[in-house]
């Protein structure tokens, strides 16, 4: 039994597998279906909308949930990972549930888990951390009477633990090379994993993809008799510009023109908002209230602006080359000249592509270790950065807290980016969350 939110995260993390376990992943859908059946299939008690992609899926999910909430739908949102608090993963119409609710549902789930074991043929006998989080989200949304929930995939899609819902619609954001050891080493292979969430007859809304990715998605959709609506075909006159008060974006869908000021800047956020709105137009839940909520939507670590020691600090989670470029452009549009970059990347990312996309405007670059429990090689990243940009002041400060202190000692604005886990390792930022 737990009594605090902090214990919730700790007890779920205790179910993580030492060194990982490939058998758990290979049997993931069988495991989740078995576990959810034991729990009474809570995921079947509300409508669902499923989001996959390499980047932008969290913000697209949040925008979609805002639009649903704006038309009176009691809408849950499940995203991952979290930055400062586990509550970030599970929200209701843009707000946290009460702590008592989080704790009570967790205790109920833990009681059930004590009585449950998987067959040995399906790998580890108890659920993994992500399997628990996913089932917990479904139970939370069921027990609080949600009409609908927006569900973000964890890793991939086809055999992701979340691919146990029968979605009303599917959204697939931009696809890039990522997690190649798990998802595949080509855009086509990765797109095939993401497209695995497409359901029979459920409409599919897609970002502007490469020809290779779009071909795979459309082939899967055709097989499932699912109509496809793409940004490139459906959205006209798209314009966006970053300013100190947000992202000013405008576009047309059909005969309707949209002009919005998004609280989360970057060109990528504007595209993600347009994708969510495209879905809402076709699914008939566009309202003025929903658009207002969408404009106000923010997420921890998605171009999050803070002030610390008189300096502008932006926390962003740019871990692909194109998201790094978007973060760079948005940051330089609002920051003072000669800024500082604090960068940490977990292993498996396109380091060369990210460095080339990101480093140009920064005078000082501080490389650090993004997480105490995710594999990374900051020394190797520093060497690559020095090879690509020998003229820059590139420093290695492995401890994230000390890296932040080093950046604050300079008289410049600061962008903290790369791994999602980086900012959560910095105590001064956690204390202000």
């Amino acid at each position: 039994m737990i009594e605090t939110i902090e214990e919730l995260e700790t007890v779920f993390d205790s179910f993580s597998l030492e060194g990982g376990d490939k058998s758990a992943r290979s049997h993931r859908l069988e495991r989740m279906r078995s576990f959810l059946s034991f729990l009474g299939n809570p995921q079947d008690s509300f409508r669902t909308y499923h989001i996959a992609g390499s980047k932008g899926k969290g913000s697209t999910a949040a925008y979609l949930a805002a639009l649903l909430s704006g038309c009176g739908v009691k809408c849950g949102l499940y995203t991952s990972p979290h930055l400062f608090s586990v509550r970030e993963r599970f929200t209701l119409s843009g707000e946290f549930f009460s702590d008592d609710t989080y704790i009570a549902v967790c205790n109920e789930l833990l009681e059930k888990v004590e009585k449950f074991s998987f067959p040995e043929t399906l790998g580890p006998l108890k659920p993994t951390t992500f399997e628990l989080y996913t089932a917990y989200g479904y139970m939370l949304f069921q027990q609080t009477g949600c009409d609908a929930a927006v569900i973000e995939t964890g890793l991939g899609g086809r055999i992701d633990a979340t691919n146990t819902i029968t979605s009303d619609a599917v959204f697939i954001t931009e696809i890039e090379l990522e997690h190649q050891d798990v998802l595949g080493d080509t855009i086509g292979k990765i797109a095939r994993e993401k497209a695995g969430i497409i359901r029979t007859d459920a409409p599919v809304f897609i970002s502007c993809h490469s020809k290779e990715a779009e071909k795979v998605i459309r082939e899967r959709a055709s097989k499932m008799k699912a109509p496809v609506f793409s940004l490139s075909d459906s959205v006209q006159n798209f314009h966006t510009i970053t300013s100190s008060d947000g992202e000013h974006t405008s576009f047309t869908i059909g005969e309707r023109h949209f002009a919005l000021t998004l609280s989360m800047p970057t060109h990528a956020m504007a595209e993600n908002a347009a994708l969510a709105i495209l879905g809402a137009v076709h699914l008939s839940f566009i309202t003025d209230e929903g658009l207002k909520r969408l404009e106000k939507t923010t997420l921890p670590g998605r171009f999050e602006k803070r002030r610390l020691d008189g300096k502008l600090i932006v926390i962003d989670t740019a871990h692909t080359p194109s998201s790094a470029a978007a973060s760079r452009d948005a940051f330089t549009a609002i920051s003072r000249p000669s800024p500082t970059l604090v960068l940490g990347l977990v292993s498996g990312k396109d380091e060369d592509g990210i460095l080339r996309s990101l480093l140009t405007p920064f005078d000082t670059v501080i490389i650090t270790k993004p997480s105490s429990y995710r594999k990374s090689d900051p020394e190797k990243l520093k060497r690559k950065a020095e090879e690509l940009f020998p003229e820059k002041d590139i420093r290695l400060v492995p401890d994230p807290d000390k890296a932040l202190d080093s950046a604050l000692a300079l008289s410049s604005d600061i962008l903290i980016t790369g791994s999602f886990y980086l900012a959560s390792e910095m105590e001064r930022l956690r204390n202000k969350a």
Side-chain angles (χ1 to χ4, degrees):
M1 299 289 285
I2 68 164
E3 296 179 356
T4 68
I5 289 294
E6 290 73 25
E7 288 178 283
L8 190 156
E9 182 173 351
T10 301
V11 74
F12 277 18
D13 283 349
S14 70
F15 285 81
S16 63
L17 302 173
E18 289 294 331
D21 189 312
K22 291 184 179 179
S23 65
R25 179 162 176 79
S26 62
H27 294 293
R28 175 60 56 79
L29 292 186
E30 296 169 272
R31 288 169 59 86
M32 278 304 296
R33 288 175 183 136
S34 170
F35 186 36
L36 291 171
S37 177
F38 176 78
L39 296 175
N41 288 312
Q43 77 281 5
D44 293 339
S45 65
F46 42 82
R47 302 193 311 276
T48 51
Y49 302 85
H50 211 177
I51 321 286
S54 299
K55 64 166 197 167
K57 53 183 178 166
S59 54
T60 301
Y63 287 141
L64 188 67
L67 291 167
L68 283 159
S69 298
C71 62
V73 174
K74 189 173 184 179
C75 185
L77 173 64
Y78 173 42
T79 62
S80 60
H82 61 275
L83 191 58
F84 297 111
S85 168
V86 69
R87 295 178 300 173
E88 297 164 19
R89 292 177 182 252
F90 318 97
T91 54
L92 175 66
S93 299
E95 303 289 340
F96 289 141
F97 295 90
S98 71
D99 283 3
D100 287 346
T101 300
Y102 286 115
I103 292 166
V105 176
C106 177
N107 284 330
E108 181 178 340
L109 177 59
L110 292 174
E111 286 181 10
K112 292 178 182 294
V113 168
E114 286 183 6
K115 304 171 186 175
F116 176 83
S117 292
F118 290 109
E120 290 185 2
T121 54
L122 296 184
L125 298 182
K126 291 297 182 181
T128 65
T129 297
F130 190 69
E131 288 167 346
L132 273 181
Y133 273 139
T134 302
Y136 173 73
Y138 295 159
M139 286 180 61
L140 193 61
F141 300 150
Q142 178 193 47
Q143 295 196 16
T144 54
C146 286
D147 306 307
V150 179
I151 308 295
E152 178 193 0
T153 60
L155 177 62
R158 181 179 62 87
I159 58 172
D160 188 73
T162 64
N163 202 22
T164 43
I165 54 177
T166 305
S167 2
D168 283 33
V170 163
F171 293 74
I172 302 179
T173 63
E174 190 172 343
I175 293 172
E176 296 188 30
L177 291 174
E178 49 142 358
H179 300 294
Q180 296 178 53
D181 56 331
V182 177
L183 302 180
D185 57 2
T186 68
I187 291 293
K189 290 177 181 178
I190 294 172
R192 193 165 292 110
E193 292 297 314
K194 309 289 185 183
I197 69 170
I198 294 174
R199 289 286 183 266
T200 302
D201 296 329
V204 182
F205 302 93
I206 64 174
S207 297
C208 300
H209 288 283
S210 67
K211 289 182 180 179
E212 184 180 5
E214 185 163 342
K215 180 175 182 289
V216 170
I217 294 168
R218 287 187 179 275
E219 285 176 351
R220 168 69 179 178
S222 176
K223 181 179 179 180
M224 304 301 290
K225 296 182 172 56
V228 177
F229 304 91
S230 72
L231 278 185
S232 55
D233 292 338
S234 305
V235 175
Q236 290 82 40
N237 307 313
F238 182 88
H239 299 286
T240 191
I241 187 169
T242 303
S243 72
S244 58
D245 63 340
E247 189 74 14
H248 298 272
T249 183
S250 63
F251 51 87
T252 302
I253 297 176
E255 297 182 353
R256 179 154 185 179
H257 181 71
F258 297 89
L260 307 166
T261 300
L262 306 174
S263 296
M264 293 190 289
T266 75
H267 185 281
M269 289 298 179
E271 287 193 347
N272 298 338
L275 181 62
I277 290 171
L278 174 63
V281 167
H282 282 277
L283 298 169
S284 302
F285 54 80
I286 280 286
T287 62
D288 290 342
E289 175 62 24
L291 292 171
K292 289 178 183 176
R293 290 181 179 227
L294 180 146
E295 287 184 298
K296 294 177 181 177
T297 295
T298 60
L299 289 171
R302 274 74 159 195
F303 212 87
E304 181 183 353
K305 291 181 284 187
R306 305 252 192 114
R307 285 278 171 185
L308 195 59
D309 294 356
K311 299 176 178 67
L312 169 67
I313 296 181
V314 170
I315 306 164
D316 203 16
T317 51
H319 53 261
T320 68
S322 62
S323 61
S327 184
R328 173 203 67 206
D329 290 345
F331 180 76
T332 53
I334 64 172
S335 65
R336 295 173 294 177
S338 304
T340 296
L341 173 68
V342 179
L343 176 65
L345 293 173
V346 298
S347 297
K349 301 298 181 181
D350 181 359
E351 294 177 345
D352 280 7
I354 292 169
L355 291 170
R356 291 179 190 278
S357 295
L358 191 56
L359 265 61
T360 300
F362 297 93
D363 285 2
T364 304
V365 178
I366 301 173
I367 305 291
T368 190
K369 187 176 178 63
S371 170
S372 56
Y373 62 96
R374 293 294 297 270
K375 184 179 178 182
S376 64
D377 191 343
E379 293 86 359
K380 175 186 171 187
L381 186 62
K382 180 177 183 287
R383 290 194 299 271
K384 283 190 176 184
E386 289 172 332
E387 290 171 6
L388 292 171
F389 297 92
E391 76 284 1
K392 293 190 179 294
D393 178 8
I394 298 175
R395 310 176 186 182
L396 177 63
V397 184
D399 181 84
D401 266 328
K402 292 179 180 177
L404 177 59
D405 287 340
S406 296
L408 288 168
L410 303 171
S411 57
S412 57
D413 294 333
I414 303 164
L415 173 64
I416 300 169
T417 193
S419 169
F420 199 99
Y421 303 94
L422 177 57
S424 64
E425 296 285 319
M426 298 175 175
E427 185 175 356
R428 293 180 73 175
L429 297 180
R430 281 202 311 275
N431 291 341
K432 289 180 176 291

